[in-house]
Amino acid sequence: MSNYHIKSLEEYFQVYRKSVNDPELFWSEIAEEHFTWRKHWNNVFSWDFSIPEVKWFEGAELNITENCLDRHLHIRGEKTAIIFEPNDPEEETEYITYNQLHKRVCTFANVLKDEGVKKGDRVCIYLPMIPELAIAVLACARIGAIHSVVFAGFSSTALSTRINDCDAKMVITSDGSFRGKKITNLKGIVDDALKESPGVKTVLVAKRTNNKIKMKKKRDKWLQPLLDSAYTDCSSEVMDAEDPLFILYTSGSTGKPKGMMHTTAGYMVYAGYTFKNVFNYTENDVYWCTADIGWITGHTYIVYGPLLNGATTVMFEGVPSYPDYGRFWQIIEEHKVNQFYTAPTAIRALAKEDLEYTAKYDLSSLKVLGSVGEPINEEAWHWYNENIGKKKSPIVDTWWQTETGGILISPIPYVTPTTPTFATLPLPGIQPALMDSEGKELKGNQVEGNLCVKFPWPAIARTIWGNHDRYRDTYFSAYPGMYFTGDGAMRDEVGYYRITGRVDDVIIVSGHNLGTAPIEDAINEHMEVAESAIVGATHEIKGNSLYGFITLKPSANGKDRDELRLEINRMISERIGPIAKLDKIQFTEGLPKTRSGKIMRRILRKVANKDTNDLGDTSTLLNPEVVKNIINEAL
Ligand code: WT7
């Protein structure tokens, strides 16, 4: 039996049982056999969810970059670590070997030191998806600085809020970014942000777009000349297991963003372990995750997880629609990608386009497809399975969160039989629980409730930066002794989990609990529907009625709208029941999305309830123009 790389369902059940019955043995074997330590731990873990306090590998000393880089050099130094695929397909791809990456990280780390960055300092990274982003992250980890990457699509206000919250002294950015046809002056956004963030003393600027930017004397420095004159050797800082590795902000349902703090050893072990299993990664595979490193998906499954396993990881700078809707598939063909990991929102957008775009490319290298970020609807699942995986590549529907650090519930490809829209089974070490509204655990199968985790795993966030009370209140108070995820889930008759969505998205109509996801699934199966979102609108008699926002495919042009409304409701009736029929259907040209691709239901809820005077925080909104139209056209 191999703990580390699970190869059969029988083995999965054995390993899972071991991880529950003897977690100390299970995790210490993995940590010992597959990672490099400067000093061994005294204690595998200790925990108390009531404080809450969790510690893993206490007493151990290590540096995560030695595990990502140094230890690979003598076996795979000349192997490609990062394939950088630029926005413009005409620009040359960059292949960075492990030797080169090691050298570039060490050099960058020396620049940070030269600029006065020390262990424990916070460094804010605001960069596009260029190699410097991964290198800056690793350079921080090399010297024990705490990186806080802010997605380079965030506004100056959002950026400055995050800088101030963690009190970063340095920002690393670039002159600009290329995304499709769009060039954004990132440095200008940083300049605006820093008007509200006087604590930042140094700004390092990487050159990417060559557009003209302002450089503030003393504060702003071009990165390249500093790299050119820095030493290329840099020994790594020895870190304690529980020293912070990074802070990453995630938006809460209320209040300011939460700076989730992850620590070194547990995060490392979990990132490495889950990457290996969930993607069935084997040496010489080429792996591509389309997320941005500004999100947890990019941290764990573009940078740390792949590099810990000595993998080749693709970094893509651009967007799926540039120069045309075939770009993803062209990249898969070009680099013979074996594992492809993307989000349902991207899948739906691409599924709207002509099949010619997928048919044109050779996708036969693919072995595993991944999905993350939201429940994947049936229609998207089948499109992905048929047109991209050609029914040969298992789809891993991976459920996790910024807070969990790594994937918690997912099929293991070629091991766990998949079922559309099911994240299936917990990974070893993960003990999920479903809770009812009275706070009791729902045992057995065929139950639905709020999803909690009742035992710690190595990569759980340790706190919200600067606000441990909020951490406790948000995650550990609803169900004492458990971590509450904020999601609802059902467990079917074989024990598979299906994530039904945020529990705040449940709508109660005439006393019936209706999950939005299954209704949206039903709507999306209509031939003319591209995407949909439903929210609750207050209703005199039923409590709530259902209000649907639906975008149609171009093929719906000229069709009678009322006829379409009838057809959609007929489909819902058929799939779920008349109770789930929509009272109102508003056709829109788009849905309000966050920059990470999530539908902003909060705004739609306000529209449905005719309460649009104050939309609340819209700083993460990707497409404000869509919102204006939706409000104007509200029913
Ligand atoms: C929330 C976490 C962690 C990756 C990116 C998102 C939803 C995530 C799935 C999935 C259904 C999913 C949950 C979760 N979610 N993956 N496979 N199926 N829902 O990270 O921004 O922290 O969001 O995304 O609602 O709580 P995040």
Side-chain angles (χ1 to χ4, degrees), residues 250 296-297 371-376 397-403 423 485 487 499 501-502 598:
T250 182
I296 191 70
T297 308
S371 170
V372 64
E374 55 180 320
I376 181 167
D397 179 359
T398 64
W399 174 83
W400 60 300
Q401 312 175 294
T402 306
E403 295 85 339
T485 66
D487 282 321
I499 312 301
R502 301 296 303 185
K598 284 207 180 69

Side-chain angles (χ1 to χ4, degrees), residues 119-186:
K119 179 177 177 182
D121 287 350
R122 275 79 62 207
V123 173
C124 173
I125 303 175
Y126 187 72
L127 279 169
M129 281 286 284
I130 56 176
E132 283 78 1
L133 172 50
I135 293 166
V137 160
L138 294 164
C140 287
R142 187 81 177 171
I143 65 168
I146 304 170
H147 55 78
S148 174
V149 183
V150 176
F151 173 58
F154 272 119
S155 66
S156 59
T157 322
L159 175 60
S160 111
T161 311
R162 287 158 176 75
I163 291 171
N164 295 345
D165 186 78
C166 69
D167 196 16
K169 296 278 178 304
M170 176 187 269
V171 177
I172 303 171
T173 189
S174 68
D175 52 355
S177 71
F178 294 123
R179 303 262 297 158
K181 288 188 196 132
K182 209 159 113 192
I183 300 181
T184 308
N185 176 358
L186 290 187

